[in-house]
Amino acid sequence: MITGKTALVGIMGDPVEHSLSPPMHNSAFHHLKLDYVYVPFHVKRGNLAPAIAGARAMGIRGLNLTIPHKQDVINYLDELDQAAELIGAVNTVKFTNDTAVGFNTDGMGAVKAIEEVTPVKDRKIIIMGAGGAARAISFQLLLAGAGEIIIANRTQKNACKLRDDLKMNFSLPVKCLGIGNDLTMELQDTDVLINTTPVGMHPHEDQEPMVTADKMHPALVVNDIVYNPLKTGLLHEAEKAGAKTISGTKMLIYQGVEAFRIWTGIKPPVEVFEEVLMRELGH
Ligand code: ATR
């Protein structure tokens, strides 16, 4: 029940109606009997400044930001945590005593999802794609102590632009490649392969994955951040090769779990996030 003391958190985006975050967070609040409610706010691009000012004025405790606000929101915050600053994007804001602090739990979510299966410290990791998700994940992996990162992208120059940004901040080996023979060579001694592109996403389930089973090895861990379908073409190929797989739902769960932790300071009920997400996706 909403009371006079209920704390308000929510998500601002355009579109926002398909977001799976409201059911995940509200179920977690209910499970722990926390007097919080999570609400979707449909905020168009030009309305972000008054929306954030309104959130501050109304004592909203926390926000998630999604498309198209993850970068613009930085203009209206007081502080950024280290990862958000490096990535240049914020998906989580915590409001306390007139201070708005920005975080990025997208990269954190992916790293947690991988660390459930294998440590990332000192590992060689290939990331396919060079967009916003690849950026968040690659910076967070380097912050977590990854040994070597390779950005492989359809348009190699976009991969090299991200490589340059990573190298400006970390003195670790980072390479940029196209999708081709070089990628096949690098895969031989790679520990983790992550797809951040929309290849294989519904309604294009039949699209040929960028890496097939013959190029994988059984000790490889393969993570696709696409969560619809749950088992993408890439994950089918990984199974064929005897590699371990991590579905895209895990990153979605852990980005929410980490936002919950930031807002409440309470250990999040991961199993509730997972149960609700699977139910919402019809699994
Ligand atoms: P996000 O911000 O969610 O990561 P994005 O910025 O649109 O998404 O990035 C999409 C990434 O997927 C890009 O790296 C894009 O490659 P290009 O730089 O060549 O555009 C990649 N991508 C999109 N569609 C693709 C396809 N059909 N095959 C291969 N890569 C694709």
Side-chain angles (χ1 to χ4, degrees), residues 91-166:
N91 79 325
T92 301
V93 175
K94 180 172 179 154
F95 297 97
T96 36
N97 308 328
D98 297 332
T99 307
V101 186
F103 300 83
N104 190 310
T105 70
D106 289 328
M108 261 186 238
V111 171
K112 290 256 171 185
I114 295 164
E115 283 187 330
E116 251 190 11
V117 174
T118 188
V120 301
K121 189 154 171 37
D122 300 329
R123 296 301 169 94
K124 175 172 174 178
I125 300 171
I126 297 182
I127 298 172
M128 294 191 287
R135 189 177 172 85
I137 294 170
S138 54
F139 271 104
Q140 198 71 49
L141 283 168
L142 288 174
L143 285 169
E148 178 177 359
I149 301 264
I150 294 173
I151 310 291
N153 193 45
R154 175 177 65 181
T155 312
Q156 191 176 352
K157 81 169 184 341
N158 294 343
C160 296
K161 165 79 179 61
L162 176 53
R163 187 266 323 256
D164 293 346
D165 289 352
L166 292 163

Side-chain angles (χ1 to χ4, degrees), residues 129-134 153-155 158 196-199 207 210:
N153 193 45
R154 175 177 65 181
T155 312
N158 294 343
T196 71
T197 76
V199 173
Q207 215 168 356
M210 284 185 285

